[in-house]
C-alpha cells in the first residue's frame, strides 16, 4: 500500500483517485481532474482555488464538514495527510493562532506536502513522517483530529482510535471522513490484493466502528453515511461497483471532558 | 520542522519526550538533525526539514 501511494505522490499528474493503469481504480474518471471529484464531495471552488495545485490528489472521500467545523486557534491533527490538501484548508480555518499537523507514512507524500506548504506560503502547517498506529504526538495536545479516507486502510483500527483518543485534549473531538461497509464485501473483491488500497476490503461496518470508538473511550459517537458519495465511489473501481457495499460517512466522536475512568 | 513543535512531538513507541540535536537551522526551522527519545534512546532523523518519526521497523522502506 505504501508503495502505491508513493507512486501516486511522485507522479506529476495530480490525477484522480489512483491514475495509474495497473491500479485498482483506474476508471473512466481517470482523466477527470481531481478538483472535479473534490467539488462533487462538497469542497467549494473558493477552497479549491485557495490551495496550491498538486495538493489535492483526489484520493479522499470528502471531509469538508470537518474542516468547516474548525475554530480559530484550534490545534488540528490530520491522520494520513497525503499531499496536504485538507491540512491547507484546515490551516485557513484555524488561522495564525492555531496549527495543523499532518502525519503520513509515505516519505514521498510528506515531501510533496512540504513543497506544497512552501508554495502555498502556509506557515501554520507542519508535516511529519509517522504511522497513525504509533502517533509521534504528545498526550492531550490537540483539539481536533481530522482524517480523510485513511483509517479504513489500517489493519489495526482499534489502535488508531486509541492513539487518537490519547493525543486529544479532554473535550477534544474526532471529525473524520471514511468509507464504511453497508454490506458484506463480495469474495472476489476481498481476494483482490489491489482493492485494499482502494478503500474497499479494509473498511468496517458502522456497528464495528462504533464499538471500536466506544472501546477507545470516545463518547457522542456518530457515524452518518453521506448519501451523495455514491456517485464518486462508484467510479473508484471499473471492475466492481463498490457503491453496492461501500459508502462514505462522516464519523464524529468526542473525548470526554473529564476522564471517565 | 519548527522548534516550537518540540512540545508536542514524542517518541512514537513509548510516547516520552524527544531531545533535539539540530545540525542545520534556517529561520527558526530545523532542516536537519536528530530527535532522541529521553527514555528508550531511539533516535529519529530530521532530513530536509521533515522529522522521520516512523517506528524503527518501518523506517527501512522510507
Amino acid at each position: 500500500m505504501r508503495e502505491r501511494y508513493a507512486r501516486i505522490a511522485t507522479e506529476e499528474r495530480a490525477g484522480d483517485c489512483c491514475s495509474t493503469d495497473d491500479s485498482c481504480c483506474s476508471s473512466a474518471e481517470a482523466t477527470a481532474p481531481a478538483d472535479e471529484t473534490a467539488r462533487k464531495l462538497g469542497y467549494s471552488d473558493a477552497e479549491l482555488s485557495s490551495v496550491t495545485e498538486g495538493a489535492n490528489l483526489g484520493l479522499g472521500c470528502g471531509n469538508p464538514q470537518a474542516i468547516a467545523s474548525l475554530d480559530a486557534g484550534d490545534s488540528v491533527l490530520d491522520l494520513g495527510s497525503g499531499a496536504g490538501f485538507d491540512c491547507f484548508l484546515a490551516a485557513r480555518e484555524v488561522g495564525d493562532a492555531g496549527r495543523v499537523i499532518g502525519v503520513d507514512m509515505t516519505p514521498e507524500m510528506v515531501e510533496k506536502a512540504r513543497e506544497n506548504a512552501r508554495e502555498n506560503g502556509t506557515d501554520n502547517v507542519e508535516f511529519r513522517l509517522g504511522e497513525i498506529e504509533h502517533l509521534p504526538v504528545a498526550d492531550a495536545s490537540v483539539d481536533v483530529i481530522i482524517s480523510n479516507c485513511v483509517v479504513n486502510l489500517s489493519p489495526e483500527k482499534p489502535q488508531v482510535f486509541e492513539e487518537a483518543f490519547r493525543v486529544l485534549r479532554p473535550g477534544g473531538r474526532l471529525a473524520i471522513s471514511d468509507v464504511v461497509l453497508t454490506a458484506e464485501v463480495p469474495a472476489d473483491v476481498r481476494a483482490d490484493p489491489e482493492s485494499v488500497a482502494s478503500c474497499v476490503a479494509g473498511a468496517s461496518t458502522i456497528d464495528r466502528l462504533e464499538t471500536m470508538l466506544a472501546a477507545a473511550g470516545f463518547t457522542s459517537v456518530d457515524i452518518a453515511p453521506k448519501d451523495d458519495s455514491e456517485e464518486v465511489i462508484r467510479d473508484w473501481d471499473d471492475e466492481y461497483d463498490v457503491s453496492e457495499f461501500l459508502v462514505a460517512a462522516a464519523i464524529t466522536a468526542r473525548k470526554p471532558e473529564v476522564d471517565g475512568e | 520542522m519548527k522548534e516550537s513543535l518540540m512540545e508536542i512531538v514524542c517518541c512514537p513507541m513509548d510516547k516520552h519526550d524527544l531531545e533535539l540535536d539540530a545540525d542545520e537551522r534556517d529561520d527558526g526551522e530545523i532542516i536537519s538533525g536528530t530527535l532522541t527519545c529521553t527514555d528508550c534512546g531511539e533516535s529519529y532523523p530530521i532530513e530536509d526539514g521533515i522529522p522521520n518519526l516512523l517506528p524503527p521497523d518501518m523506517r527501512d522502506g522510507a
Side-chain angles (χ1 to χ4, degrees), chain A residues 96-179:
Chain A
D96 290 339
R99 62 181 162 197
V100 181
I101 299 150
V103 172
D104 202 285
M105 67 170 180
T106 315
E108 292 83 352
M109 281 290 184
V110 175
E111 262 164 52
K112 198 179 180 93
R114 207 176 118 81
E115 272 168 39
N116 287 331
R118 225 175 284 144
E119 279 171 37
N120 239 355
T122 315
D123 208 33
N124 53 351
V125 182
E126 284 267 333
F127 296 97
R128 66 197 51 180
L129 265 169
E131 210 191 6
I132 60 174
E133 294 85 355
H134 297 100
L135 286 174
V137 179
D139 295 3
S141 60
V142 303
D143 299 303
V144 186
I145 290 180
I146 62 173
S147 177
N148 187 352
C149 213
V150 170
V151 177
N152 71 85
L153 300 166
S154 171
E156 294 168 77
K157 295 177 190 62
Q159 196 179 329
V160 173
F161 293 134
E162 281 161 27
E163 280 285 85
F165 190 83
R166 179 183 65 78
V167 304
L168 279 172
R169 291 203 178 101
R173 61 200 175 83
L174 187 75
I176 70 180
S177 176
D178 209 345
V179 287

